[in-house]
Amino acid sequence: MQTIISNINKSFENRVRLGVMSILMVNDWVDFNEFKETLNVTDGNLASHITALEKEKYIQVRKAFIGKKPNTSFQATAEGKQAFQEHLNALEILIKGTL
């Protein structure tokens, strides 16, 4: 039996992960420092949430150098975009109270 919260994805329950995915849904690539500033989180906090999303294959990582400085940026995968959209749809159903 399906409940009204069955389709809510646990991977996106945390506010930082929700923020990361929301930002990636409307941007192609976003670097670590931009996330940190936008979400107002520490390096370690952001890194742990990024790792969790990467483990689920919801985001991909690109490491490069800009000049001589290392730069790490992230992009939502097709699987991540689909999972996040399904999560948003589930939240909308929950808010509207329809199943």
Side-chain angles (χ1 to χ4, degrees):
M1 179 175 176
Q2 185 177 13
T3 67
I4 196 163
I5 61 170
S6 296
N7 293 323
I8 292 180
N9 189 325
K10 265 188 109 38
S11 296
F12 306 127
E13 284 182 356
N14 181 279
R15 72 176 187 91
V16 176
R17 292 182 202 171
L18 184 67
V20 166
M21 289 305 295
S22 296
I23 292 167
L24 289 177
M25 291 294 280
V26 296
N27 293 285
D28 194 25
W29 287 94
V30 179
D31 71 32
F32 189 87
N33 288 329
E34 194 174 336
F35 274 133
K36 197 170 87 167
E37 290 172 20
T38 303
L39 299 173
N40 194 29
V41 293
T42 64
D43 286 7
N45 191 3
L46 179 58
S48 67
H49 290 294
I50 291 283
T51 300
L53 291 169
E54 186 182 8
K55 198 178 200 180
E56 293 290 331
K57 299 196 180 348
Y58 290 159
I59 63 171
Q60 61 182 343
V61 180
R62 175 177 67 188
K63 295 184 181 266
F65 282 89
I66 297 178
K68 293 186 179 192
K69 286 186 163 187
N71 179 271
T72 304
S73 53
F74 308 90
Q75 180 182 53
T77 63
E79 181 180 344
K81 287 181 179 183
Q82 180 180 346
F84 191 68
Q85 189 59 56
E86 289 170 2
H87 178 73
L88 293 178
N89 293 344
L91 289 175
E92 189 173 335
I93 289 168
L94 179 62
I95 291 166
K96 289 181 178 176
T98 57
L99 187 56

